[in-house]
Amino acid sequence: MIKTFQQFLISFFLISNLLISCQKNDYKHPELWNSIDLLMKSNPKQALTELSKISPDTLDAWDYMRYGILLTQAQDKSYIDHTSDSLMNVVALYCDSLKAPRDLHLRSHYYRGRVYHDMDRSTMAIQDYLITLKIANELQDHEFIGLSATNIGRVLVKNRLFELADEFYAIGQKSIEQTNDTVKLFIIWINRAYIDMDIDTPRYAEAEKKLERAYSLSHNLAPVFKQRARMAFSSLYSLVPDHQKTIDWSRAAILVQPDTARHGDNYLLMGKAYLHLNNLDSAQYCLQKSTFSYKDAIRYNAYANLAEVARDQGLWKQALTWNDSSHYYFYKMEAQRRSADIVSDIKDFEHSESLKSYLKQSRKKQNTLYIFICAVLLSFLLITYDYVMTRRRSKVYVYQMEVIKERFSEKIDEIEHLNNLLMECEEDKAQVAILKLQIEQAKSETTTAFNNILPGLSSYRATQELLAKADKLSPSEENISKKLWRDIEFELNCVTNNFTSRLLQKYPDLKQADVRYCCLLKMGFRYKDMSLLLGRTPRMMYNRRTKISQLLHLSDDETLEGFLEQF
């Protein structure tokens, strides 16, 4: 609101200065503006360069108005997104207040509409396009009738008002047909075909006819237009569905411009089609290609389908990885999605005498809606950002844990290999001494790796939480649930190369209670803590240590803690 008020003040003072400086309806530099206008038709970027050399502060009212329209037009034709409405607000208000010539009045509102369109201010863009449409009909300017009507259609499609959008596209199409602009006519046929696909009750037959019209026009245009028509055909047949035609048209589109990143949608459609045909290898190849797309929506769909392929192939770990990637791009996509503007009863105001009252009422509604949407959007973005950052930290942590687990497993294999070598060269004292040092070093590294893994185990953290509630634990009953025991044994086995299995295999006389006792000791819990967890006295814990040491045949020099640490 503060920014809007500041822009209003700036516009007010600029308008005041321009009105004061305006003595007559004339330009000081008519030849300059005419030459730039002529250059605009052939080379918009060069026109933009020439306009950038002009200082607007030196211009009087009428020259400033012409400068603003030409500058915005050059930016628009050079495909530069508009990010500020301050210039065109001044120009449009000036045209309205001084009753500028109708052709300039028309252009000022059209290009202000283009600015609002790029800034995603849908309602305000439509208001200016409707004014342009009214003036263009008065002047019988078919070019601007077509431009304003098709731009209204684009805004309405974005707000999912498909039927209304198709009506405006039809208005634009009639005017553009009289200008013989093949490119604009091609774009309208394509967009109307997509509307037929996206409405609640799809009209696939009509969409196909419109695409055929567009494809026939593409033969006289650059190859990129033919590629776009083929891509639209593949989208249509993916919805019908006709999987073989989807594959054929997607391949044809890719052949026009073999750029993987730009063809993410084609590879995605091909991958889905192959998936329906149960050709998993081809589906996986195409879906992986589509993950290089620039669009988050395509990446989300690609990873979701790749997860499905992996599940069908029984690759559960890969399926989980791709599923996580699809979730990441889904939440990223949702965070960037803007709330749709509410546009109602627009068709009733085309050429209507009550247009001004409609604009006044819609501005009041739009301000209230704007504040509400901003508050909701800001809350949603904060929540989404927090979720995404938490997921990202979790992924990094999981990756680190996997690396540590792999290192731990390698060290265990190394110790076993060194022990075998030690048995083979018992008579070589020098070699025996070296091997013993290597074994000790490997055991030390194994202990370090295990200690790094331990805090990341959910079962370890759950057991620590139990100990934090020591005053609520029963002194005569075991306080670890069956589920927690299962989690402890499972996670410990995962990171220690099947600790419990190896222990029972080597020492079959051990009972389940003995193995669980060893698990707690392996995880570094003190005897006092173990007595609380198992509901026994500390003395009973020491007695069990002695009993287990005997079952493991430990010598007097060995401790149970040291043995389990290296096992």
Side-chain angles (χ1 to χ4, degrees):
M1 293 297 291
I2 293 172
K3 185 177 179 181
T4 305
F5 182 69
Q6 289 174 342
Q7 290 178 345
F8 171 77
L9 287 178
I10 292 169
S11 302
F12 176 79
F13 285 116
L14 284 170
I15 289 290
S16 301
N17 291 332
L18 290 170
L19 290 175
I20 292 169
S21 65
C22 179
Q23 302 296 326
K24 59 179 181 176
N25 292 3
D26 201 5
Y27 305 105
K28 287 186 177 180
H29 311 286
E31 297 84 8
L32 174 64
W33 308 127
N34 290 337
S35 64
I36 292 176
D37 202 8
L38 188 63
L39 181 62
M40 187 83 66
K41 296 175 182 178
S42 58
N43 194 339
K45 291 187 178 179
Q46 184 60 38
L48 185 61
T49 303
E50 295 299 322
L51 286 165
S52 64
K53 298 175 183 178
I54 300 172
S55 174
D57 297 332
T58 62
L59 303 175
D60 63 12
W62 286 87
D63 286 319
Y64 187 88
M65 178 189 67
R66 193 72 185 274
Y67 164 82
I69 291 172
L70 287 171
L71 180 65
T72 308
Q73 182 181 358
Q75 291 171 343
D76 197 54
K77 286 181 175 291
S78 301
Y79 302 102
I80 297 173
D81 285 341
H82 306 292
T83 56
S84 173
D85 61 349
S86 56
L87 175 63
M88 284 312 300
N89 268 336
V90 172
V91 171
L93 289 170
Y94 173 65
C95 288
D96 291 341
S97 60
L98 287 187
K99 297 183 179 180
R102 296 297 278 169
D103 63 324
L104 294 181
H105 195 199
L106 175 149
R107 290 189 177 196
S108 68
H109 281 285
Y110 174 76
Y111 286 109
R112 189 171 70 170
R114 289 292 304 122
V115 170
Y116 287 144
H117 197 154
D118 282 354
M119 295 173 70
D120 285 327
R121 297 183 184 176
S122 299
T123 305
M124 299 175 76
I126 285 181
Q127 291 168 7
D128 273 314
Y129 289 145
L130 285 172
I131 295 173
T132 306
L133 196 59
K134 181 181 179 181
I135 300 171
N137 274 286
E138 292 174 6
L139 300 175
Q140 289 296 299
D141 190 327
H142 295 295
E143 180 185 1
F144 278 92
I145 291 174
L147 287 171
S148 54
T150 53
N151 275 291
I152 290 173
R154 286 174 58 199
V155 176
L156 293 173
V157 166
K158 188 175 182 180
N159 290 274
R160 303 192 66 78
L161 299 172
F162 297 116
E163 294 286 355
L164 196 55
D166 195 52
E167 291 179 26
F168 277 98
Y169 271 122
I171 294 170
Q173 182 182 321
K174 289 179 183 177
S175 295
I176 289 172
E177 283 174 346
Q178 298 186 47
T179 64
N180 295 319
D181 192 328
T182 309
V183 171
K184 290 189 177 71
L185 201 56
F186 169 87
I187 293 170
I188 288 176
W189 282 119
I190 290 288
N191 290 339
R192 293 190 70 189
Y194 276 115
I195 288 172
D196 287 334
M197 298 181 215
D198 292 336
I199 57 175
D200 294 335
T201 306
R203 302 186 291 253
Y204 295 134
E206 292 183 32
E208 188 174 29
K209 291 177 183 177
K210 288 169 184 173
L211 288 179
E212 287 171 355
R213 293 288 299 273
Y215 192 65
S216 65
L217 292 172
S218 70
H219 295 306
N220 301 319
L221 300 173
V224 68
F225 293 98
K226 188 172 289 187
Q227 173 207 340
R228 186 171 175 185
R230 289 171 175 174
M231 185 173 66
F233 269 118
S234 63
S235 299
L236 170 65
Y237 291 124
S238 69
L239 295 171
V240 170
D242 187 330
H243 304 307
Q244 191 55 52
K245 284 188 177 180
T246 302
I247 293 168
D248 293 340
W249 280 106
S250 296
R251 280 177 179 165
I254 292 168
L255 289 174
V256 176
Q257 188 182 20
D259 183 342
T260 301
R262 294 182 183 277
H263 285 294
D265 40 7
N266 285 314
Y267 278 114
L268 177 63
L269 292 174
M270 283 177 68
K272 286 183 175 180
Y274 278 124
L275 189 58
H276 284 293
L277 295 174
N278 207 28
N279 189 338
L280 299 183
D281 290 337
S282 297
Q284 184 172 337
Y285 172 82
C286 293
L287 292 170
Q288 285 179 328
K289 283 276 191 180
S290 66
T291 61
F292 294 99
S293 172
Y294 302 121
K295 301 175 185 177
D296 291 333
I298 292 174
R299 289 183 176 182
Y300 156 69
N301 277 289
Y303 282 117
N305 281 279
L306 278 168
E308 184 179 343
V309 172
R311 283 193 291 270
D312 289 342
Q313 294 174 332
L315 303 174
W316 301 106
K317 186 175 181 181
Q318 187 63 64
L320 288 172
T321 302
W322 277 330
N323 198 48
D324 283 344
S325 297
S326 73
H327 287 163
Y328 168 77
Y329 284 108
F330 174 79
Y331 289 112
K332 185 181 177 184
M333 183 175 58
E334 287 296 310
Q336 293 172 346
R337 182 175 294 165
R338 297 175 182 270
S339 299
D341 292 324
I342 297 174
V343 184
S344 59
D345 298 329
I346 293 170
K347 60 182 178 182
D348 297 331
F349 293 95
E350 181 198 353
H351 313 307
S352 172
E353 290 297 325
S354 58
L355 182 61
K356 291 183 180 179
S357 62
Y358 162 71
L359 296 177
K360 185 177 180 180
Q361 292 172 7
S362 63
R363 283 194 186 105
K364 290 181 181 179
K365 293 179 181 178
Q366 198 269 342
N367 288 336
T368 306
L369 182 64
Y370 178 75
I371 295 170
F372 174 75
I373 289 176
C374 284
V376 173
L377 187 60
L378 181 61
S379 302
F380 178 77
L381 287 175
L382 289 173
I383 294 169
T384 305
Y385 175 78
D386 182 65
Y387 177 82
V388 169
M389 293 306 294
T390 303
R391 290 281 298 177
R392 186 175 296 175
R393 287 193 294 269
S394 175
K395 284 183 179 179
V396 171
Y397 183 79
V398 169
Y399 173 76
Q400 291 173 343
M401 286 297 104
E402 289 296 328
V403 172
I404 294 172
K405 289 175 187 177
E406 187 177 349
R407 191 180 303 164
F408 184 89
S409 180
E410 290 173 356
K411 288 299 173 185
I412 289 177
D413 293 337
E414 183 182 345
I415 291 170
E416 186 176 351
H417 176 66
L418 290 171
N419 280 323
N420 292 334
L421 290 176
L422 187 63
M423 293 174 64
E424 292 174 5
C425 56
E426 290 180 348
E427 297 179 1
D428 189 344
K429 293 183 179 181
Q431 185 67 23
V432 167
I434 293 171
L435 288 172
K436 284 184 177 180
L437 285 173
Q438 290 178 342
I439 290 170
E440 289 302 319
Q441 183 180 356
K443 286 181 177 180
S444 175
E445 290 174 358
T446 303
T447 302
T448 303
F450 178 73
N451 290 334
N452 288 331
I453 295 172
L454 197 59
L457 302 181
S458 59
S459 59
Y460 178 80
R461 294 197 300 270
T463 310
Q464 291 282 19
E465 289 172 6
L466 273 178
L467 289 172
K469 304 172 184 176
D471 55 330
K472 298 180 181 179
L473 298 179
S474 171
S476 58
E477 294 181 3
E478 188 173 299
N479 293 289
I480 300 178
S481 66
K482 291 181 179 179
K483 181 182 180 304
L484 183 53
W485 273 125
R486 286 196 300 270
D487 292 343
I488 289 171
E489 291 178 11
F490 174 76
E491 291 189 343
L492 200 57
N493 283 331
C494 284
V495 299
T496 59
N497 196 19
N498 298 315
F499 168 75
T500 59
S501 301
R502 290 188 290 111
L503 194 64
L504 283 170
Q505 185 178 2
K506 193 169 183 180
Y507 304 101
D509 293 336
L510 292 173
K511 297 179 181 178
Q512 185 185 42
D514 299 329
V515 173
R516 289 179 172 178
Y517 179 93
C518 291
C519 287
L520 293 176
L521 208 54
K522 174 78 172 173
M523 295 172 79
F525 289 103
R526 298 175 302 171
Y527 289 102
K528 180 181 177 182
D529 295 336
M530 291 166 64
S531 66
L532 289 170
L533 294 169
L534 300 175
R536 301 289 187 270
T537 64
R539 186 177 185 82
M540 294 173 71
M541 295 296 99
Y542 290 121
N543 290 339
R544 175 163 284 184
R545 178 186 64 179
T546 304
K547 176 189 172 185
I548 293 174
S549 297
Q550 292 171 354
L551 291 173
L552 300 180
H553 311 295
L554 299 182
S555 64
D556 294 338
D557 297 333
E558 291 182 286
T559 63
L560 181 59
E561 296 90 330
F563 173 82
L564 294 175
E565 185 179 277
Q566 304 299 333
F567 188 80

